[in-house]
């Protein structure tokens, strides 16, 4: 069969599909088996490759790009160690339901089983098998002619139902072979799931109206479906207070009169007691499976409500951890919208033109009081206290600034003491709670939202894991600001050790404190140091004005105990269960 004029290399067909999806950046590191993809990127000049310093960082950048933009994120790696390095990134996306496409290279298929350099085929380190537990689909391209089929199925799975990562392994001898050109519109091979059960929604509406003190608990699903207007509309129409999980912080702006703030183990105890306790007689849970963090340690009081409603796009998540009175399967935006309409129709039947709102009872505010926000009096000398850091950060940032928060003690403080005033402004990975995510991910977030300030709030231990990605931002002139809270090591583990073992040992503190400023200067970014009250606010204002990659090192107090007691108690219970009598 002769070559047709419209035939193109398989790898270029793949890029055509990504271009039609609006993909404009691919994050990764090249290598021999994946180099044909980079040639195609160069020739087409539509998608820009971003050279990361580590494949995990590349995956985090693509993940964060997807979180901020609402579109798919794409990363690529070479075969062997390049592919295994990105595995944690796939796991993070899988746990948080992020549409991340991972493209990994493969040695030529005719070399399988012969010990080819960095072989990761089915007869060696099976990279497709390694990715299966942490993706919606992991597949090796079986033949060049199947390229269109594979990428269409991948794009459909990435975004349909509950989003999640997909992995495609590309044998290098297939990527360059010619295949027929395809021009298939996006709407012909995938659609967004918006289904809902009308009878279940009607039952849920009746249950809510039969109660007097309902609360909405909004989770990550609200963010994934961009259901913010629907959430706000239902809450405002019936005066229903809204709490959020940590990942959904800000889904209802936290200065809104109906906002309760974060409901979690490290959240405000007053919020936990209000949502889980007798002050609330009905709970509408939207877009969270109520795991340990989002249920405040599986608080048993949650199951004692007069009415417990749970909405999720994945039916298997509903009722997994708590008994449910109304199973609401569907997209969060659709469920919230239809619930509002169903409640209004019920009221109209009871009397023409009848208006109704739930009575607002006394409840905790999402924004801490002035004395709470400050905590102990901050001395002029000495390391800054976490609450002071967060106060200066909030005051210096505009309302629409995007904040990526890394895992560690600063994350537990941020849940309570950094109010979020606009939806889509606060990002944290909590499914895997992988350290280093915000360090790298903030670069992808900034590329997704170039017109908004992007700041990464990270600890020094998290910075140590992916801090070299600052150089990536320098090379591509991506103006992210990193606020590195330097307390000399793994602060959360340090406090956990003290609480669990009373100071018997310390395994978590660096023997030599990281010199963040020196590391920053070596990578070519602007550098600032905050030691005293007011320093961080001034430095952040200057850094944002520079519109260049900047790192602010903050000398922080290691000994201020973070709000993590509930988590420590949970660990203590698990440890004691296996301890000898």
């Amino acid at each position: 069969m002769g070559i047709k004029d419209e035939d193109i290399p398989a790898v270029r067909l793949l890029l055509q599909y990504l271009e039609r999806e609006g993909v404009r950046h691919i994050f990764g590191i090249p290598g021999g088996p994946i180099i044909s993809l980079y040639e195609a990127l160069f020739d087409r000049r539509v998608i820009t490759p971003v050279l990361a310093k580590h494949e995990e960082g590349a995956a985090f950048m693509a993940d964060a790009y997807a979180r901020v933009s609402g579109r798919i994120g794409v990363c690529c790696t070479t075969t062997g160690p390049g592919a295994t390095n990105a595995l944690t990134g796939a796991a993070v996306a899988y746990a948080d339901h992020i549409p991340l496409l991972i493209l990994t290279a493969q040695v030529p298929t005719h070399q399988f089983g012969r010990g080819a350099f960095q072989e990761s085929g089915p007869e060696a380190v099976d990279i497709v098998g390694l990715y299966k537990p942490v993706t919606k689909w992991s597949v090796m391209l079986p033949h060049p002619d199947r390229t269109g089929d594979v990428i269409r199925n991948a794009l459909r799975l990435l975004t349909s139902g509950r989003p999640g990562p997909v992995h495609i392994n590309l044998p290098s001898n297939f990527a360059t072979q010619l295949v027929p050109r395809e021009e298939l519109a996006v709407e012909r091979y995938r659609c967004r799931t918006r289904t809902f059960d009308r009878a279940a929604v009607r039952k849920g509406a009746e249950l809510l109206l039969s109660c007097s003190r309902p609360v909405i608990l909004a989770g990550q699903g609200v963010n994934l479906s961009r259901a913010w207007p629907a959430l706000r509309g239902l809450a405002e129409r019936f005066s229903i207070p809204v709490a959020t999980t940590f990942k959904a912080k800000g889904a209802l702006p936290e200065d809104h009169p109906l906002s309760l703030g974060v409901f979690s183990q490290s959240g405000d105890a007053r919020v936990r007691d209000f949502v889980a306790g007798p002050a609330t007689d009905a709970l509408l849970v939207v877009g969270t499976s109520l795991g340990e963090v989002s249920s405040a340690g599986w608080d048993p009081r949650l199951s004692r409500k007069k009415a417990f409603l749970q909405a999720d796009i994945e039916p298997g998540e509903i009722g997994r951890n708590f008994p449910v009175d109304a199973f609401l399967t569907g997209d969060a935006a659709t469920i919230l919208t239809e619930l509002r309409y169903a409640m209004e129709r019920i009221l109209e039947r009871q009397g023409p033109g009848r208006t109704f709102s739930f009575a607002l009872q006394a409840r905790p505010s999402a924004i801490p009081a002035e004395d709470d926000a400050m905590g102990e009096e901050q001395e002029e000398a000495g390391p800054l206290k976490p609450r002071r850091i967060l106060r200066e950060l909030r005051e210096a940032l505009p309302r629409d600034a995007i904040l990526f928060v890394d895992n560690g003690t600063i994350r537990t403080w941020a849940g309570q003491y950094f109010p979020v005033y606009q939806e889509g402004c606060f990002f944290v990975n909590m499914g895997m709670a992988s350290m280093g995510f915000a360090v790298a991910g903030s670069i992808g977030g900034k590329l997704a939202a170039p017109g908004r300030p992007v700041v990464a709030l990270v600890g020094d231990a998290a910075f140590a894991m992916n801090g070299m990605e600052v150089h990536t931002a320098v090379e591509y002139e991506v103006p992210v600001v990193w606020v590195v809270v330097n307390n000399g090591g793994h602060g959360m583990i340090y406090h956990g050790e003290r609480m669990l073992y009373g100071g018997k040992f310390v395994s978590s503190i660096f023997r030599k404190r990281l010199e963040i400023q020196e590391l920053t200067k070596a990578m070519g970014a602007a550098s600032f140091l905050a030691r005293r009250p007011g320093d961080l606010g001034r430095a952040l204002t200057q850094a944002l004005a520079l519109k260049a990659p900047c790192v602010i090192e903050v000398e922080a107090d290691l000994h201020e105990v973070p709000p993590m007691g509930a988590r420590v108690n949970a660990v203590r219970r698990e440890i004691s269960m296996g301890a000898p009598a």
Side-chain angles (χ1 to χ4, degrees), residues 468-549:
M468 289 302 294
E469 299 299 352
V470 171
H471 185 259
T472 303
V474 170
E475 287 204 302
Y476 291 89
E477 299 180 341
V478 183
V480 173
V481 178
W482 287 267
V483 176
V484 183
V485 179
N486 192 347
N487 60 13
H490 295 258
M492 182 174 284
I493 305 302
Y494 168 75
H495 287 288
E497 289 172 339
R498 290 178 60 251
M499 292 179 186
L500 288 169
Y501 298 104
K504 177 181 178 181
F505 65 96
V506 175
S507 64
S508 51
I509 301 304
F510 298 147
R511 294 183 180 182
K512 186 180 187 306
R513 196 181 185 95
L514 289 175
E515 297 182 13
I516 304 296
Q517 275 200 301
E518 297 305 313
L519 290 169
T520 300
K521 292 174 184 176
M523 289 184 281
S527 180
F528 300 84
L529 179 63
R531 284 177 167 164
R532 296 178 175 82
D535 285 355
L536 175 56
R538 287 188 290 270
L540 189 54
T541 300
Q542 294 175 44
L544 292 173
L546 284 177
K547 299 186 184 302

Side-chain angles (χ1 to χ4, degrees), residues 59-120:
F60 286 165
M61 291 177 205
D63 173 306
Y65 183 93
R67 292 182 196 236
V68 173
S69 69
R71 301 188 298 273
I72 67 170
V74 185
C75 69
C76 66
T77 81
T78 190
T79 188
T84 57
N85 283 347
L87 192 63
T88 296
V92 166
Y94 187 73
D96 282 355
H97 318 303
I98 306 301
L100 169 67
L101 176 61
I102 307 110
L103 303 172
T104 64
Q106 183 57 268
V107 301
T109 54
H110 56 269
Q111 300 290 4
F112 283 178
R114 301 185 63 196
F117 181 64
Q118 294 184 332
E119 180 182 348
S120 56

Side-chain angles (χ1 to χ4, degrees), residues 5-21 26 34-47 103 141 144 147-148 151 155 170-172 174-183:
D5 290 341
E6 61 268 24
D7 287 350
I8 58 174
V11 70
R12 300 197 183 203
L13 178 62
L14 183 151
L15 288 181
Q16 284 184 355
Y17 274 101
L18 296 184
E19 291 164 10
R20 287 201 289 270
E21 292 283 338
I26 289 182
I34 197 76
I35 203 66
S36 60
L37 174 67
Y38 281 81
E39 181 198 22
L41 288 168
F42 176 81
D43 289 343
R44 295 187 64 80
R45 299 176 187 270
V46 177
I47 300 175
L103 303 172
L141 180 65
T147 301
I151 187 60
L155 294 171
L170 301 170
S172 58
F174 289 172
T176 55
Q177 290 191 35
L178 298 179
V179 298
R181 186 188 301 271
E182 298 176 4
E183 296 290 343

Side-chain angles (χ1 to χ4, degrees), residues 358-371:
F358 291 103
L360 288 176
Q361 68 264 38
R363 62 191 190 282
S365 169
I367 301 178
E370 184 72 14
D371 55 341

Side-chain angles (χ1 to χ4, degrees), residues 439-461:
V439 180
S442 52
I443 298 172
K446 180 63 178 179
L447 289 172
R452 296 168 63 186
V454 174
V455 173
L457 179 63
V458 308
D460 52 327

